[in-house]
Amino acid sequence: MGNSLHQSTDVQEVEKLCHKGKEYFANKQYKQARRSYRQALAKLQSTTISKTDDDINQALATIYLYLTDVYIKECKYDKANQACHNSFNLAQKRNDLPFVAMILDRQGDIKRLQSDYKLAMQNLNHALDIKLRINQGEENLNVAQSYTMIGCLYYQQSAYQNGVDMYQKALGIKLNILGQNHNEIIELYNQLGNGNYQQCQYEDALNAYLKALNIRINMDGEKHCDVANCYMKIGLIYDKQSNYDRAIDMYENALTIRLQMLGKNHLDVAKLYHQIGIAYRYQGHYEIALSMHQKAVDIRLKLQQDYHPDLAQLYQDMADIHSLQFAYKAALSLFALALKIHLKLYGENDIKVSCLYCSIGDIYRHQCSFDKAYAKYQHALKIVLKVKGNNRDYVAQLYNNLGLTLRYQSLLDEALNMSNKALDIYLDLYQENHSIVALVYQNISNIYQKQGKSEKAAMMKQKSLHITQILQQDSLTSGDQIANQQSSGKTSVFVLSLPIFDIYFHVTLGK
């Protein structure tokens, strides 16, 4: 009698510890959750509770899986792997296939977080195979969960279309089972929108985001953070399509909601001010754009450290606007602030740092300080040649800018050398009949003209004009295609004429 009572008390204590662990986990108190689960494990392993070995194994496997979730949240992936492995072994002893599939999902998620995408995909596909066998088909929420997780894994590897295909499968199943008005349906429409957005399939992305928006409004009304997020995403699509009026309308809808729900001093509010500023900039409303950016800066300075990449981006965007207004002193000051932040965060050898040196070089060039401009372009080039990655287009731009700066300094042989380096890269990247190649030919022609080499100058100019004529002819013969693209929100870019002045390429970190 006494032994039975003791065993009953032990069971209750284990259940109580697990319940506390769940509460701590839900409240993001992961250290306390871990302690509760560890105590439950110790109690379960050290007592002779009158249950079958099968029941004990099930309880142990479940607690190890709880621990796995805690370690994942704490980013302790090695410990998460070990806890997950312990749970897997216990589940296999019981031949509990649904639980095994659940554990494989966790293992796949851990490997994804560790960027071991191959093993992550193996685990997730193994889990999917088990679920399909158990349920004898796809019409099951657990199967839909697998498709969603595999879609997320594809998305993280930039295999966006594969991700979209998985999301579509998951959506079909969940719509049949859950109906339309459900949080999981909204999340899938958002994921579909994200996948299509990354592939520049803006109409498909817009359609998905609008469906997510309408469902959320039907479920929870207009005043909801998810509604603001949808407006923000829709605004970004209109921004990409250069439909800035509609983009601003969407951003302002999102801003109204966020101000009501979050107050004026919140990072999400700062993001919207930034985006509104970008849209106004591309409409040519520079003063409004600057005022929006300044609001974003003021919020970030209150909430974040002085050295933050988002703050650096704001400084750069404001500098670009001042440059467009020919306010070079203000632009130079803001570029310097952005550079200071990036140097502190990333060090000297970073592509963003290189781009900022290039932007500062542009300002000096506008001020006719060609020695300083040349030094900044050289500094930018030195960095980018050290940095890994596909930066050849940017390298060519720097060679072109160096060539033009040298020409202004009458260092014509060196200018020609730099311009030819730019040309070689562009010919390799784009072939002969490309507008950028035409512009570089024009720049080389100007160098030869200044050297007094009229025949070579004429030859380079003729090449430039020949490319321009081909591009003009292509544009005329594809008029119907261009009209169709424009009606669908897409535009075709081509060169109609070449300027007789020098062409500089200006590099920015964002749109």
Side-chain angles (χ1 to χ4, degrees):
M1 177 75 176
N3 188 45
S4 175
L5 181 63
H6 177 70
Q7 291 170 349
S8 176
T9 303
D10 286 341
V11 171
Q12 290 174 359
E13 191 170 346
V14 169
E15 290 175 347
K16 184 178 178 181
L17 286 165
C18 287
H19 181 72
K20 285 177 66 176
K22 290 178 183 178
E23 286 186 342
Y24 284 133
F25 185 85
N27 292 319
K28 301 181 180 181
Q29 296 173 282
Y30 301 125
K31 184 177 180 180
Q32 293 89 331
R34 175 162 38 87
R35 185 185 301 119
S36 294
Y37 292 141
R38 280 290 180 194
Q39 289 172 351
L41 276 176
K43 177 64 69 175
L44 201 58
Q45 291 167 333
S46 64
T47 58
T48 55
I49 297 173
S50 60
K51 286 182 176 287
T52 65
D53 287 346
D54 202 46
D55 289 334
I56 295 292
N57 286 340
Q58 181 180 9
L60 287 169
T62 302
I63 297 171
Y64 275 123
L65 198 59
Y66 291 157
L67 270 174
T68 299
D69 291 339
V70 174
Y71 286 131
I72 289 173
K73 290 294 185 181
E74 294 180 313
C75 301
K76 297 177 179 178
Y77 300 128
D78 289 339
K79 290 186 176 181
N81 267 320
Q82 185 57 55
C84 205
H85 180 72
N86 292 340
S87 184
F88 184 80
N89 289 339
L90 290 162
Q92 277 196 318
K93 286 181 182 179
R94 301 176 57 249
N95 196 30
D96 186 347
L97 289 180
F99 202 83
V100 167
M102 194 185 305
I103 296 167
L104 286 166
D105 280 340
R106 295 297 200 290
Q107 288 179 335
D109 202 35
I110 295 165
K111 294 303 176 186
R112 177 185 65 83
L113 292 166
Q114 292 179 308
S115 300
D116 187 348
Y117 300 129
K118 183 177 180 181
L119 193 52
M121 188 65 77
Q122 289 176 3
N123 287 327
L124 294 179
N125 277 320
H126 190 181
L128 175 61
D129 289 342
I130 292 172
K131 293 173 187 179
L132 289 170
R133 289 204 311 272
I134 293 170
N135 297 294
Q136 297 181 340
E138 290 191 335
E139 292 300 311
N140 182 275
L141 290 177
N142 289 327
V143 172
Q145 181 195 23
S146 280
Y147 286 135
T148 302
M149 293 181 73
I150 293 170
C152 290
L153 183 58
Y154 277 128
Y155 185 93
Q156 194 163 333
Q157 297 175 85
S158 301
Y160 300 119
Q161 187 55 50
N162 289 338
V164 166
D165 293 342
M166 292 295 107
Y167 296 146
Q168 287 282 15
K169 287 186 175 184
L171 180 63
I173 296 168
K174 289 191 176 183
L175 280 171
N176 288 336
I177 296 172
L178 301 174
Q180 183 161 285
N181 292 331
H182 196 281
N183 287 330
E184 292 184 25
I185 301 299
I186 294 172
E187 180 60 27
L188 275 167
Y189 276 128
N190 276 315
Q191 288 169 318
L192 279 168
N194 296 342
N196 285 311
Y197 180 87
Q198 292 293 341
Q199 298 178 88
C200 302
Q201 296 173 356
Y202 297 128
E203 290 303 319
D204 290 336
L206 182 61
N207 183 51
Y209 290 145
L210 285 171
K211 286 182 178 178
L213 174 65
N214 291 331
I215 296 170
R216 178 57 72 194
I217 291 174
N218 287 337
M219 288 176 61
D220 300 304
E222 182 88 8
K223 192 176 177 181
H224 193 284
C225 283
D226 282 353
V227 173
N229 293 339
C230 284
Y231 280 134
M232 173 83 164
K233 290 178 178 179
I234 292 167
L236 289 171
I237 291 175
Y238 287 135
D239 212 334
K240 289 290 187 181
Q241 294 175 321
S242 301
N243 192 342
Y244 300 118
D245 284 333
R246 298 190 74 176
I248 290 168
D249 287 342
M250 294 298 106
Y251 294 147
E252 288 182 343
N253 287 343
L255 180 62
T256 299
I257 296 169
R258 286 184 176 174
L259 284 170
Q260 289 175 349
M261 300 193 69
L262 305 173
K264 63 181 181 179
N265 290 324
H266 195 282
L267 292 178
D268 286 344
V269 173
K271 288 177 185 176
L272 278 164
Y273 280 130
H274 192 176
Q275 286 302 139
I276 293 170
I278 290 171
Y280 276 121
R281 169 194 169 171
Y282 284 97
Q283 287 184 313
H285 300 311
Y286 298 137
E287 291 303 324
I288 301 176
L290 284 171
S291 70
M292 293 295 111
H293 288 335
Q294 188 60 55
K295 287 183 179 182
V297 167
D298 292 342
I299 295 170
R300 290 194 177 279
L301 286 173
K302 287 180 183 177
L303 301 177
Q304 294 176 317
Q305 296 178 346
D306 292 345
Y307 294 94
H308 193 280
D310 291 340
L311 191 59
Q313 185 63 58
L314 276 162
Y315 287 142
Q316 170 157 352
D317 289 346
M318 293 173 77
D320 285 335
I321 294 170
H322 282 302
S323 180
L324 291 168
Q325 294 178 305
F326 311 109
Y328 298 129
K329 185 176 179 181
L332 198 59
S333 176
L334 286 161
F335 278 133
L337 286 174
L339 178 61
K340 185 178 180 181
I341 293 172
H342 280 299
L343 284 170
K344 185 174 179 66
L345 291 175
Y346 309 115
E348 179 80 9
N349 293 323
D350 182 85
I351 187 66
K352 296 182 179 70
V353 171
S354 175
C355 288
L356 281 164
Y357 279 125
C358 181
S359 294
I360 293 169
D362 291 339
I363 299 298
Y364 284 132
R365 170 178 56 83
H366 289 310
Q367 295 177 318
C368 297
S369 298
F370 298 119
D371 286 341
K372 289 182 178 179
Y374 179 81
K376 295 301 176 183
Y377 290 144
Q378 275 284 24
H379 201 158
L381 180 63
K382 182 180 178 182
I383 293 169
V384 75
L385 291 175
K386 290 181 181 178
V387 175
K388 292 181 180 179
N390 185 17
N391 301 311
R392 295 184 69 209
D393 198 324
Y394 174 44
V395 170
Q397 292 176 34
L398 285 169
Y399 280 133
N400 182 78
N401 289 5
L402 281 164
L404 291 169
T405 305
L406 287 164
R407 187 174 77 80
Y408 280 123
Q409 295 173 298
S410 297
L411 299 170
L412 301 180
D413 289 339
E414 294 176 47
L416 189 60
N417 180 44
M418 290 294 174
S419 296
N420 278 321
K421 285 183 177 182
L423 179 63
D424 289 342
I425 296 173
Y426 283 132
L427 285 171
D428 187 49
L429 288 173
Y430 302 123
Q431 305 302 316
E432 179 82 13
N433 295 326
H434 193 282
S435 57
I436 291 179
V437 174
L439 295 173
V440 178
Y441 277 135
Q442 178 67 56
N443 289 336
I444 293 172
S445 172
N446 292 341
I447 296 171
Y448 279 131
Q449 191 69 43
K450 196 168 183 179
Q451 286 180 318
K453 299 178 180 178
S454 300
E455 290 185 8
K456 289 186 175 181
M459 182 177 67
M460 292 295 108
K461 186 172 184 178
Q462 182 58 42
K463 285 187 176 184
S464 179
L465 290 171
H466 178 67
I467 295 170
T468 306
Q469 290 167 356
I470 290 173
L471 294 174
Q472 286 178 321
Q473 187 61 39
D474 288 345
S475 72
L476 292 172
T477 56
S478 60
D480 290 339
Q481 279 186 325
I482 293 168
N484 291 335
Q485 287 177 338
Q486 289 173 337
S487 67
S488 66
K490 300 176 183 177
T491 56
S492 179
V493 179
F494 52 89
V495 176
L496 291 176
S497 62
L498 282 173
I500 60 172
F501 48 84
D502 294 327
I503 303 300
Y504 272 83
F505 297 108
H506 178 66
V507 180
T508 59
L509 299 182
K511 182 179 175 182

